[in-house]
Amino acid sequence: AIKKSGDDNAQTTQLNLLVSGDLGRKVDLSSMPGVADSLQQIYDQAFGSSNEDIKHAAALALGRASVGAIDAFLPGILTALEKSSGKKQYLLLSSLREFIHCYREMEGGNLSSSVPLILPHLEKNCGNDEEGVRSMVAECLGSLACLEPKMILPVLQELVTRDTPKKVVVRWTVGSAVKFAIGGHISPNELAPFMPTFLGLLQEDDLAVKNIALLMVYSAVHHTPQLVVGLMKEQILPQIYELAQLNMERRIDLGPFKHTVDDALPLRKAALSVFATCLEKCPSSLDIPAFMPVVAKALADVEDVQLQTHTIVISMCSRHPIPLVAAADSFVAPLEKTVNKKKGQKTGTELERVYEWIKSGLRVMIAVSKLDGAMNNRKFAEFVDRINNSSKHGPFLQAVEDER
């Protein structure tokens, strides 16, 4: 049926491919004479299809079929992986990821005998030039770490400390793999001894490595806070404070005009996300008053960061009001600038965006003003009075009030 449908009927071909893979998860296709070889040829042909959906369906199907017939399909995947590059390599790694993922879902799934065959190929591609390939390698390593932590975690630790010409991209891949492993609910007891080494990625010079390390920390705080609580003071918080304030703007000359790019923006957003999640999951590990100057600075940042910080401040009002009240005067200048944002020549959706930005700032002002002691701060109280008595802010204040 797959051969007959081909590219001309893409949906039917995808369905047939996926059905063949799902069948292979339940039944050893190699026990049926000629079936495994025939399917291997079909999957290989589908990898060369002009239809992207067919390619991806074939990758998933090959991975799933390998579960029931490891000896028939896995060696072929690994051999082809050794010889391929680019898109084909990505598809084969997709098959490998699906194979490992399916094993994780099996009751009592054990891949220990296959790991020594798989691991060299993943190690080799940790430094691949293609980010998509490295991401797929990281997913495979993360899933394998959940299945076989005693085999995989020492390898990841060795990779992250290895000094090679491609150490930057290798370390990015390892950080990403650990992030996936944490999200996949790896045993905290198995991972904990290795976390100090992996957290060293926060101090790498490369911005992409720093960013993936922040995402790794975010995943840990979100899923298993106990992994990082004991390491907060020494390894995590100093880096969070620093990266939440890092600014690396550069101007790009595009001929008739110049464009400003801030390479540190993703880091600031990720660092604030970690702080927000710590507030929810493990607030006792934070020095919240020490972070208030960072919050004040973030309130004056670009729009995305401001809106993110508005959400953080409002959530803190119910849980951690005392540090907010103490820092209220430092919020005045950035909030006043936000709520007085000029609309300029903007129309339509851009104008709506400005209005939402203003209302977001007003929500913060109102939330903080209702905290015990906030209006005793003269500078903050005068700011609130100015806005409440301003005719141009009246409609916005009413709109915010109507949301309640």
Side-chain angles (χ1 to χ4, degrees), residues 25 62 79 108 131 208 219 259 340 390:
R25 287 178 69 174
L62 175 57
T79 301
E131 184 176 333
S219 186
H259 179 59
N340 286 305
S390 164

Side-chain angles (χ1 to χ4, degrees), residues 236-272:
I236 298 174
L237 290 182
Q239 293 299 314
I240 297 295
Y241 294 152
E242 178 185 334
L243 297 175
Q245 302 176 81
L246 185 63
N247 194 297
M248 298 184 69
E249 289 189 351
R250 56 190 172 91
R251 292 179 70 80
I252 299 176
D253 192 340
L254 298 174
F257 59 92
K258 289 181 171 58
H259 179 59
T260 301
V261 174
D262 185 352
D263 293 321
L265 178 57
L267 295 175
R268 296 202 299 279
K269 293 168 75 171
L272 284 169

Side-chain angles (χ1 to χ4, degrees), residues 51-125:
N51 185 297
E52 291 296 316
D53 291 334
I54 290 177
K55 289 179 182 178
H56 289 291
L60 294 177
L62 175 57
R64 292 171 187 173
S66 303
V67 175
I70 292 182
D71 294 338
F73 290 107
L74 184 59
I77 294 175
L78 299 178
T79 301
L81 196 55
E82 186 73 29
K83 299 176 181 176
S84 63
S85 61
K87 183 67 177 181
K88 178 78 177 287
Q89 198 170 36
Y90 179 87
L91 291 169
L92 289 163
L93 285 166
S94 298
S95 298
L96 197 55
R97 177 194 62 178
E98 189 68 11
F99 166 67
I100 298 166
H101 176 72
C102 290
Y103 247 90
R104 283 189 57 207
E105 290 185 337
M106 288 172 59
E107 193 72 35
N110 188 327
L111 262 185
S112 57
S113 61
S114 298
V115 170
L117 301 175
I118 296 170
L119 202 49
H121 298 276
L122 297 178
E123 283 190 63
K124 180 181 177 181
N125 284 293

